[in-house]
Amino acid sequence: METNGVPLTPEQARAALADTDRVRASATALAATPWPTWFFITLTLYVAVLPVTVGGIVADRDWLLPRPAWVAVMLAATALYAALLAVASKSWRERTGVALRLDVLPKRATVPLAVGLPLLLVGGPYAFHATGQVAWLIASSLIGAAVSVGFHLTFVRLHRRSA
C-alpha cells in the first residue's frame, strides 16, 4: 500500500485495514437498523388485518362483507403496504446510504419468522373457515401483531448491541 507515492509501514497498513473493518462493521450495523417507526406501525397493522381479510375471503358465505369486497380490501391493503415499503426503503437508503436488510439478522430469528408467520396468518383464517369461530381470526391477528412488535424490539436490541 502507498499513500501519495510513499509506501506505508506495516503499522500504518494494519491501522488502515482496521479502519476499513470499522467502516464495514458500522455499515452492517446501520443496515440492520430497525425500520422507521411509522413503517413498523404500518407493518404491524397489515399483519393484524391480514387474517381477518383472508377469513372474509375463505368464508363459506358472505361474512360481514361480500367476498369480492374482501378481495378488494386485500388487494388495496397489499398495494398500500408495498407502496409504503418502497417509500420506507427509499427514504432510509437516502438518509443513511445503505438499504434496510434482514439478512444481517441471525438466522435463528428470521427463519422461524419466515416460516411461522405465514402459517399463522393463513392458518387462523382456514381454522375459521373450518369451524366458523371468529376467535381464530382474532387470535391470529393478535398473535401476528405481537410477533411483529416482538421482532421489531428484537431488531432494535440487536442493532443497539452491534452499534
Side-chain angles (χ1 to χ4, degrees), residues 8-75:
L8 294 177
T9 66
E11 293 79 24
Q12 291 171 322
R14 279 191 282 280
L17 288 174
D19 284 344
T20 301
D21 288 341
R22 275 193 297 267
V23 168
R24 186 174 292 129
S26 175
T28 298
L30 190 55
T33 299
W35 294 106
T37 303
W38 67 265
F39 185 73
F40 152 67
I41 292 167
T42 300
L43 176 60
T44 301
L45 290 173
Y46 180 72
V47 167
V49 166
L50 198 63
V52 175
T53 307
V54 174
I57 292 171
V58 301
D60 284 332
R61 59 193 189 307
D62 287 349
W63 175 70
L64 301 178
L65 296 172
R67 183 172 287 143
W70 284 115
V71 172
V73 168
M74 175 72 141
L75 292 174

Side-chain angles (χ1 to χ4, degrees), residues 2 4 9 12 17 19 24 31 45 57 61 63 65 84 87 92 98 105 114 124 127 134 139 151 153 162:
E2 293 183 10
N4 298 328
T9 66
Q12 291 171 322
L17 288 174
D19 284 344
R24 186 174 292 129
L45 290 173
I57 292 171
R61 59 193 189 307
W63 175 70
L65 296 172
L84 291 174
V87 169
W92 185 258
V98 294
L105 294 174
V134 177
F151 193 74
L153 294 175
S162 67

Side-chain angles (χ1 to χ4, degrees), residues 26-27 31 53 69 71 73 81 86-87 93 101 117 126 131:
S26 175
T53 307
V71 172
V73 168
Y81 169 74
V87 169
R93 197 171 32 260
R101 297 174 34 200
L117 194 57
Y126 278 97
T131 66

